[in-house]
Amino acid sequence: MEEKRAAVQMRDITKRFGSTLANDRVWLDIYKGEILALLGENGSGKTTLMNMLSGIYFPDDGKIFINGKEALIRSPRDAFSYGIGMIHQHFKLVDVLTAAENIVLGLKEPGRLDMNKVAQRVQEICDAYGFDVDPNQKIYNMSVSQKQTVEIVKVLYRGADILILDEPTAVLTPQETEKLFAVLRAMRDDGKAIVIITHKMHEVEELSDRVAILRHGQFVGDMETKKTSAQDMTNMMVGRPVTLNIERPEPVNPQPRIEVKNLTVRDAEGTLKLEDVTFTAKSGEILGIAGISGCGQKELLEAIAGLQKTESGSICYVKDDGTREELIGKDPTAIAAMGVSLSFVPEDRLGMGLVGSMDLTDNMMLRSFRKGRSWFTNRKEPKRLAENVVKELEVNTPGVSTPVRRLSGGNVQKVLVGREIAAAPTVLLTAYAVRGLDINSSYTIYDLINKQKKAGVAVVFVGEDLDVLLELCDRILVLCGGKVSGIVDGRSAQKPEVGMMMTRLGGKTNG
Amino acid sequence: MAKKNSGPVLHISKRDNLPWYGAWAIRGTAILLALVVCAFVTTALTGENPLGVYKTMFQGAFGSKRKMWILGQNLAILLCVSLAVTPAFKMRFWNVGGEGQILIGGLATAACMILLGDKLPNWLLICVMTVSAMAAGAVWGGIPAICKAKWNTNETLFTLMMNYVATQLVAFFVIVWEVPKGAGKIGIINQSTQAGWLPQIGSYKYLLNILIVAVLVVVMYFYLARSKQGYEIAVVGESERTARYVGIPVGKVIVRTMMLSGAICGLAGLLLVGGTDHTITTTIAGGRGFTAVMVAWLAKFNPFGMVFTSFLLVFLGRGAAEISTIYGLNHSFGDILTGIILFFIIGSEFFISYRLDFLKNNGKEQA
């Protein structure tokens, strides 16, 4: 590349939270006309570093130079005045306002506010980069990807030429991701500096020009994407060589375990969430479930777990001796009382799977505290279990009496998966088991799931990363708008084919 | 765009683990500071010597044996109501209906004393009184809980409204049972027979109440911290979805907990009517249903902590009353002092959870 101009230079940036050092004398350069991927494990300080650039935190030490001049960024407003805009993982939009209203929200422009003019300028920005946004559409009517687009337009409207995106693809379908990448490339070619935080290696390779890696709050190094590989980057992130192959053992004596027939589910508002869904999950096998977000995966798992009211159809649990038990109409306690050991790792870890303010021991108790006739709880067993989980899954925690809310995402997930697996399940349901987890933690989770499969457990794995689904699962059930779009073989299916089936019923072929 | 001024001077961060003595040192400092501010306010507003005022306050609470017993009695009843609302609060069910639940418990007690006073042996009467007072409170607490569990009604408004219903019911029955006719009040019930009066231990009128509440503190602590029901309450309070996910029947837990909460408030009503006052009026609860909310919060729902917080509030209240009588000041003046002290104590909680660092200049001259 010819001579590059550094848009941002961060020098010796240090940030502490209490006794933890989130960033330790980090040096980072961000160049114009370049897409930089910021990599690191969970808790390595990527988001903290970017939050200091966007004015949410103020560094304890160190200096930031914007276009060569020292800058003091004390608030998001300061950040905007330097042309820095951040798109957060969780959108910060007002639902009842339109796109254009959200975009001008908080801006102080002289004179009267002319919404027509705003809408016009929004349109201009959209046209320039190929965005597809209706300025007058209300946010609550928008899809996730449209909301994200509004966030991007919002920072562009404020004249940002340094854009930071925190895990932007976590909520997008493959097609939407492609669209986003095209827009980001267009902005790069326009001379803007772009930073993206992501955990998905193939996205890094596909999109970025340069990668910078953080480990335990320290800057490890940066390099051109072309000159490195996923393997090298991962090794740098983790600090030691790791294997990057997801294992896929042959299914062990697969027998039908859960039979779902003609299942139809409506949510509380009466919207059809699942329609006529039929499939069988077998023991010793991983059944993947693919689909764009909100196409019924959550309802499907919750219906099996006895947490979702169903309208019609049946869910049968097949015991080893071939007898069948209907699960519909039973709550989790009733299902457990039938002797069905069903474990469920829900999508919302702290809001559903665990209690954030309770410590590890008390969280281990959630499933088992009713055992025994005593009026009082027994914390000895759960404590031993917690200590076991910490040891075996290498949970990074000060101790078993730390509230789980204080742990990082990957460790929270390990605690949850550890508890669910400890119940020796015959069926394991997992929803987005690796969402937000770094690559190392993700592989730990894949490993755990594979172990369950080898032990003869019927695993249902709802995932969002098609590459992972195709590498891990024996069969993949593709949902589209609440209907079964097809069931494909994990070993032979191709990514484009599955992608098509996610967006169009049946896709091209009938797998 | 060149901003030459320095970065923020204050940096707020969460404390990781403050040792218990550190927390108490902060609270102690807060009370000292509050006393200093109160001294200035006292001198500025009344011209009195603040030390004299503090001494009077102290004397109001501890000045004589009788005053100490009254302090103990007030402490016991307030603590009882605070313990009652705590399980509901741990469940994030904002029960502000303690007032009504006490009244209805007191009303049930009075009804038993008046209607059954000469029909049952005394021990049986007291049993009937206890059961009916607690049952009445449980029903009063249970109604909003059932509506919350079934139709997700707002428990704050509902329990608040139930207070007014209870007050009106008491007002109605006071007229029904008034002695003598036309007096508009009931007077001492069963003065001659003392039927239904809770037994007195030795010559100490208030000792029974204090002992009952002391036992209740210990029981409530173990119920919340160690029992399975206490655990369920904590899970439901933190996240109903988690509770459902592990198969805890959320509606049942809400109703059960609120009935317990109401029943203990009813018990407070029993202690007031059957134990000390031997009569009932619409103001018998004396705002304790609301003060209890503050007691419970200040103690972070720890029953043993509530012994201290309720003591503090009762002490301040008794002291404030004494100041206004001795110095002939408006009663509001005592309340002003109480307000200042509470402000400092509640404010000190911020410094217990967070640390403030004053940053040195973040500007240019750093190496």
Side-chain angles (χ1 to χ4, degrees):
Chain A
M1 255 179 232
E2 69 265 57
E3 204 188 321
K4 296 187 294 188
R5 282 192 54 206
V8 177
Q9 293 162 296
M10 298 178 95
R11 292 286 175 266
D12 280 327
I13 297 291
T14 299
K15 180 77 188 169
R16 276 186 196 84
F17 294 110
S19 56
T20 41
L21 199 54
N23 283 145
D24 184 10
R25 286 163 289 146
V26 174
W27 283 53
L28 184 72
D29 291 334
I30 303 169
Y31 297 99
K32 286 186 177 162
E34 188 181 84
I35 298 177
L36 173 74
L38 190 57
L39 299 180
E41 291 188 272
N42 292 120
S44 60
K46 307 176 296 279
T47 306
T48 307
L49 187 67
M50 287 303 111
N51 276 340
M52 282 189 273
L53 204 51
S54 61
I56 290 175
Y57 299 140
F58 191 81
D60 292 344
D61 215 338
K63 291 177 184 182
I64 299 174
F65 298 89
I66 309 283
N67 297 326
K69 273 189 231 145
E70 185 172 352
L72 272 171
I73 306 169
R74 286 166 300 187
S75 67
R77 198 179 284 275
D78 283 358
F80 274 125
S81 73
Y82 288 113
I84 301 167
M86 182 155 171
I87 290 106
H88 294 270
Q89 218 172 334
H90 305 284
F91 304 141
K92 297 170 179 352
L93 298 168
V94 182
D95 262 355
V96 293
L97 299 184
T98 64
E101 283 165 343
N102 264 290
I103 286 165
V104 289
L105 205 63
L107 276 183
K108 278 187 191 149
E109 282 177 350
R112 266 189 70 217
L113 184 63
D114 181 355
M115 281 315 289
N116 286 333
K117 237 168 149 182
V118 172
Q120 204 184 330
R121 249 186 83 193
V122 169
Q123 199 58 55
E124 278 166 25
I125 295 172
C126 292
D127 293 343
Y129 295 108
F131 290 120
D132 178 22
V133 178
D134 174 4
N136 297 317
Q137 195 180 358
K138 303 260 192 208
I139 299 296
Y140 60 77
N141 281 330
M142 290 186 176
S143 70
V144 183
S145 105
Q146 282 173 311
K147 286 180 196 174
Q148 187 181 53
T149 314
V150 174
E151 287 277 15
I152 297 174
V153 175
K154 190 163 107 185
V155 298
L156 290 177
Y157 187 92
R158 280 145 213 248
D161 44 23
I162 301 161
L163 273 91
I164 306 160
L165 297 99
D166 192 356
E167 293 199 41
T169 61
V171 289
L172 302 183
T173 63
Q175 282 79 5
E176 288 167 337
T177 304
E178 267 317 308
K179 234 159 106 190
L180 172 71
F181 284 1
V183 166
L184 292 180
R185 288 193 192 100
M187 291 198 291
R188 169 193 61 194
D189 297 339
D190 198 34
K192 296 197 184 300
I194 294 167
V195 182
I196 114 164
I197 300 177
T198 180
H199 286 306
K200 298 182 188 163
M201 281 308 183
H202 58 95
E203 287 179 0
V204 174
E205 292 179 312
E206 190 185 330
L207 179 72
S208 69
D209 302 304
R210 200 163 57 93
V211 290
I213 295 170
L214 294 181
R215 189 201 311 147
H216 304 313
Q218 286 172 328
F219 177 70
V220 188
D222 63 346
M223 54 218 160
E224 275 179 49
T225 312
K226 272 180 279 176
K227 292 183 184 159
T228 181
S229 67
Q231 184 67 57
D232 289 343
M233 290 188 274
T234 313
N235 292 354
M236 278 179 84
M237 267 159 57
V238 180
R240 60 185 152 84
V242 274
T243 39
L244 272 192
N245 293 318
I246 303 181
E247 211 194 334
R248 179 159 45 193
E250 284 300 315
V252 196
N253 182 27
Q255 298 293 328
R257 175 79 13 109
I258 295 272
E259 287 184 357
V260 177
K261 277 205 185 102
N262 311 105
L263 183 70
T264 298
V265 169
R266 275 176 207 279
D267 67 6
E269 277 87 50
T271 323
L272 206 55
K273 282 291 177 181
L274 287 175
E275 197 181 342
D276 206 18
V277 171
T278 301
F279 70 92
T280 305
K282 295 177 189 157
S283 63
E285 181 195 76
I286 300 179
L287 175 70
I289 296 193
I292 57 175
S293 67
C295 70
Q297 305 98 318
K298 178 171 156 261
E299 286 76 11
L300 181 60
L301 291 195
E302 292 191 355
I304 299 175
L307 296 166
Q308 169 74 50
K309 260 200 187 145
T310 55
E311 193 170 85
S312 60
S314 86
I315 302 171
C316 267
Y317 177 83
V318 188
K319 289 192 173 169
D320 284 338
D321 58 11
T323 48
R324 294 150 172 276
E325 299 266 15
E326 180 62 52
L327 295 186
I328 281 182
K330 301 200 169 71
D331 69 3
T333 328
I335 292 176
M338 276 161 41
V340 175
S341 182
L342 192 145
S343 284
F344 178 24
V345 178
E347 176 183 356
D348 187 358
R349 291 160 206 163
L350 285 177
M352 187 163 181
L354 300 166
V355 179
S357 61
M358 288 186 177
D359 64 14
L360 270 69
T361 305
D362 278 18
N363 270 298
M364 288 298 156
M365 239 164 54
L366 268 172
R367 284 272 191 203
S368 59
F369 76 98
R370 283 188 215 84
K371 258 187 225 151
R373 293 186 149 199
S374 161
W375 239 71
F376 293 99
T377 49
N378 175 3
R379 281 184 167 79
K380 265 190 214 138
E381 277 297 315
K383 189 167 178 228
R384 204 172 307 140
L385 176 58
E387 281 162 356
N388 249 337
V389 168
V390 168
K391 208 173 80 197
E392 305 228 325
L393 307 190
E394 294 169 3
V395 179
N396 189 1
T397 169
V400 293
S401 46
T402 307
V404 288
R405 182 180 289 145
R406 296 247 188 101
L407 307 185
S408 73
N411 289 310
V412 168
Q413 184 70 330
K414 283 180 193 170
V415 171
L416 176 55
V417 172
R419 184 190 72 206
E420 291 302 301
I421 287 176
T426 51
V427 179
L428 174 64
L429 311 172
T430 66
Y432 308 109
V434 298
R435 177 179 282 177
L437 300 200
D438 59 62
I439 201 145
N440 206 25
S441 309
S442 299
Y443 276 80
T444 314
I445 301 287
Y446 300 145
D447 246 20
L448 287 170
I449 290 174
N450 266 327
K451 266 187 204 146
Q452 293 300 304
K453 168 182 167 181
K454 282 189 238 169
V457 175
V459 180
V460 179
F461 181 90
V462 173
E464 53 198 340
D465 192 333
L466 272 186
D467 297 85
V468 170
L469 280 167
L470 288 168
E471 269 184 80
L472 179 72
C473 302
D474 300 299
R475 290 183 303 142
I476 300 169
L477 168 80
V478 188
L479 285 176
C480 173
K483 293 184 194 157
V484 178
S485 190
I487 298 178
V488 298
D489 184 80
R491 287 174 176 78
S492 61
Q494 294 302 311
K495 192 176 168 189
E497 172 198 349
V498 179
M500 287 295 285
M501 288 168 75
M502 282 163 68
T503 45
R504 203 172 312 150
L505 212 58
K508 282 186 293 196
T509 55
N510 305 314
Chain B
M1 216 178 266
K3 287 182 184 164
K4 286 276 156 62
N5 49 354
S6 62
V9 284
L10 258 184
H11 179 231
I12 301 170
S13 57
K14 218 167 166 99
R15 283 184 200 272
D16 267 351
N17 35 15
L18 190 67
W20 62 271
Y21 52 86
W24 283 103
I26 291 176
R27 291 195 186 106
T29 317
I31 293 179
L32 276 181
L33 278 174
L35 292 178
V36 171
V37 173
C38 283
F40 278 112
V41 171
T42 310
T43 322
L45 289 183
T46 66
E48 303 284 352
N49 174 8
L51 286 180
V53 171
Y54 291 154
K55 203 176 145 203
T56 312
M57 247 176 130
F58 204 75
Q59 274 170 351
F62 300 108
S64 66
K65 253 199 176 140
R66 204 182 94 78
K67 279 179 177 158
M68 278 168 81
W69 277 113
I70 293 179
L71 182 85
Q73 154 74 2
N74 284 351
L75 172 65
I77 300 293
L78 179 62
L79 187 54
C80 182
V81 183
S82 310
L83 291 169
V85 295
T86 302
F89 273 38
K90 268 216 124 163
M91 200 175 62
R92 306 266 165 97
F93 185 104
W94 309 121
N95 175 19
V96 290
E99 204 80 354
Q101 291 147 22
I102 301 168
L103 273 174
I104 217 74
L107 184 63
T109 310
C112 292
M113 288 165 81
I114 292 168
L115 302 175
L116 304 171
D118 44 8
K119 296 191 182 79
L120 293 176
N122 209 28
W123 65 269
L124 185 60
L125 176 60
I126 288 175
C127 290
V128 172
M129 280 160 54
T130 311
V131 170
S132 49
M134 292 180 74
V139 168
W140 222 245
I143 293 170
I146 290 169
C147 293
K148 168 89 176 177
K150 280 241 164 6
W151 302 293
N152 197 24
T153 51
N154 181 317
E155 74 273 14
T156 315
L157 285 176
F158 207 134
T159 48
L160 195 64
M161 291 303 162
M162 293 292 279
N163 289 343
Y164 298 110
V165 179
T167 311
Q168 295 310 317
L169 272 179
V170 171
F172 175 78
F173 281 104
V174 163
I175 301 299
V176 171
W177 294 323
E178 63 186 350
V179 183
K181 279 286 163 213
K185 59 180 184 183
I186 292 184
I188 303 296
I189 305 168
N190 301 345
Q191 180 133 40
S192 51
T193 60
Q194 301 204 347
W197 290 25
L198 296 187
Q200 194 168 310
I201 302 174
S203 58
Y204 308 111
K205 191 181 170 196
Y206 300 127
L207 188 57
L208 180 72
N209 286 0
I210 295 171
L211 289 179
I212 289 176
V213 176
V215 171
L216 196 59
V217 170
V218 179
V219 171
M220 186 54 82
Y221 174 81
F222 282 102
Y223 177 74
L224 290 176
R226 290 276 172 266
S227 80
K228 288 180 180 172
Q229 295 196 354
Y231 181 73
E232 287 183 336
I233 290 172
V235 175
V236 170
E238 284 297 331
S239 161
E240 280 190 22
R241 290 185 59 209
T242 307
R244 256 184 219 111
Y245 159 77
V246 295
I248 295 174
V250 174
K252 196 179 128 194
V253 172
I254 290 178
V255 174
R256 183 183 72 203
T257 308
M258 261 313 282
M259 287 183 75
L260 174 73
S261 185
I264 301 176
C265 280
L267 178 73
L270 172 86
L271 297 182
L272 282 170
V273 174
T276 51
D277 292 13
H278 308 128
T279 184
I280 186 159
T281 63
T282 51
T283 54
I284 196 164
R288 290 188 183 93
F290 300 109
T291 316
V293 175
M294 188 149 71
V295 171
W297 268 102
L298 271 177
K300 303 207 174 99
F301 308 127
N302 179 336
F304 292 112
M306 278 185 243
V307 176
F308 292 99
T309 51
S310 53
F311 167 78
L312 179 80
L313 285 166
V314 170
F315 168 77
L316 289 174
R318 298 283 302 161
E322 187 80 359
I323 298 170
S324 49
T325 40
I326 297 284
Y327 287 89
L329 294 169
N330 187 326
H331 194 281
S332 308
F333 182 71
D335 291 341
I336 292 176
L337 296 191
T338 310
I340 292 172
I341 294 172
L342 283 178
F343 176 83
F344 273 83
I345 291 172
I346 295 171
S348 74
E349 294 300 316
F350 173 83
F351 294 94
I352 290 170
S353 337
Y354 296 94
R355 194 176 64 194
L356 289 189
D357 293 317
F358 292 91
L359 301 180
K360 281 160 250 132
N361 193 6
N362 262 304
K364 299 268 167 188
E365 57 278 298
Q366 270 171 341

